[in-house]
Amino acid sequence: MKNADGRHFLLGKESDKFIGLPVPKSDYIIGTNSAKAVMKRLKLTYPVVLKLISQQAIHKSDVGGVKIVNNDSELEKAINDLQKTIKKIKDGKLLLQEFIKGHELIVGIKHDATFGPIIAFGIGGKYVEILKDIVFRACPIDPKEAEDMIEQLKFKAIIEGARGGIKANKKLLANALVNVSKLAVSKKITELDVNPLIVTEKNIYAVDVRLAFL
Ligand code: ADP
Ligand code: MG
């Protein structure tokens, strides 16, 4: 199904196998019982995240389509609310996802008429527009260029664990940036947004992915 602009993005689990980065544990659910069964199967405990996946709701938060739930009653309420939204927009399914605690970064690819595929990387999550801390390179990049991109962040101290915060694993991060830049060249991806890409001390996860092909 296409969205209002006549475009189709790979979202939710559909993008997992294309992205070539680790992703949080997740599966689609129908109602509360299947949500609990999925949590058991994937060995997840609260909090977990519920998401509305739909071509009609590319920015899920805009329609209240992302809910972090901490217990059974919040789970039930969130599923009811999300099902109402699905009815209203007449499209969508529910994804249950592992909750990841770490630094929220953003990585994306855009095609430029002159430079070809460009990789953008910076501080992500809800602070993207406030901090405007984004670095660009032409694809593909090598590990040294990836490290440079990280070092050039204005707010680098945050991901380095300033004030007792989590110390992001820069090696994994640089490696992820290299892989994303290669993806832009080899798989003819016209547009890619990973926001957030969450990095911890030991892991990195593509938590929210939207991608489109030529
Ligand atoms: P969208 O960008 O379409 O609104 P996201 O999946 O990016 O939806 O979720 C919005 C925000 O919710 C994220 O930027 C992040 O802060 C938080 N979030 C989403 N999924 C997770 C998760 N699995 N673990 C931790 N936080 C999450
Ligand atoms: Mg997002």
Side-chain angles (χ1 to χ4, degrees):
M1 185 165 182
K2 293 185 172 170
N3 70 3
D5 303 333
R7 312 184 60 197
H8 181 88
F9 290 99
L10 289 188
L11 308 166
K13 275 191 91 63
E14 285 73 26
S15 61
D16 285 0
K17 55 178 173 293
F18 290 96
I19 182 75
L21 297 176
V23 294
K25 290 181 196 168
S26 77
D27 208 349
Y28 289 110
I29 59 148
I30 299 164
T32 310
N33 287 341
S34 69
K36 287 184 181 166
V38 163
M39 283 179 68
K40 204 167 174 186
R41 179 161 49 79
L42 300 181
K43 298 191 172 66
L44 298 178
T45 53
Y46 292 114
V48 292
V49 187
L50 290 165
K51 297 189 181 182
L52 167 56
I53 305 298
S54 166
Q55 296 293 326
Q56 312 308 322
I58 300 296
H59 300 286
K60 295 175 281 301
S61 304
D62 292 354
V63 297
V66 179
K67 315 261 190 200
I68 296 167
V69 299
N70 294 291
N71 52 50
D72 284 357
S73 68
E74 285 181 18
L75 178 79
E76 202 162 333
K77 182 174 184 325
I79 291 173
N80 279 334
D81 289 350
L82 291 168
Q83 280 169 342
K84 277 182 204 151
T85 310
I86 290 179
K87 271 205 182 119
K88 204 160 77 190
I89 65 176
K90 299 189 182 73
D91 174 58
K93 42 191 179 175
L94 297 181
L95 186 73
L96 185 145
Q97 195 180 57
E98 178 184 8
F99 178 87
I100 309 289
K101 187 171 158 31
H103 292 293
E104 297 198 11
L105 303 170
I106 182 170
V107 60
I109 292 167
K110 290 265 183 300
H111 269 264
D112 181 89
T114 309
F115 299 107
I118 301 286
I119 180 170
F121 161 70
I123 304 289
K126 49 185 179 261
Y127 300 122
V128 177
E129 277 97 27
I130 302 168
L131 300 181
K132 293 191 176 24
D133 193 6
I134 306 287
V135 185
F136 300 90
R137 289 286 186 287
C139 296
I141 55 168
D142 63 24
K144 176 80 184 59
E145 286 173 291
E147 283 162 21
D148 278 352
M149 288 179 91
I150 299 166
E151 294 310 313
Q152 282 190 7
L153 290 181
K154 278 181 279 184
F155 296 97
K156 185 178 63 148
I158 297 175
I159 67 167
E160 286 176 339
R163 293 175 194 272
I166 290 171
K167 204 166 154 45
N169 188 317
K170 287 193 194 173
K171 254 216 164 85
L172 282 181
L173 183 52
N175 195 33
L177 295 178
V178 169
N179 287 344
V180 166
S181 82
K182 284 185 191 156
L183 205 65
V185 182
S186 68
K187 283 202 174 168
K188 298 201 187 307
I189 286 171
T190 50
E191 227 180 296
L192 168 70
D193 262 294
V194 185
N195 184 24
L197 171 74
I198 298 186
V199 60
T200 68
E201 279 170 28
K202 294 211 174 93
N203 294 296
I204 191 159
Y205 302 90
V207 170
D208 180 32
V209 178
R210 184 174 77 230
L211 70 84
F213 291 99
L214 277 182

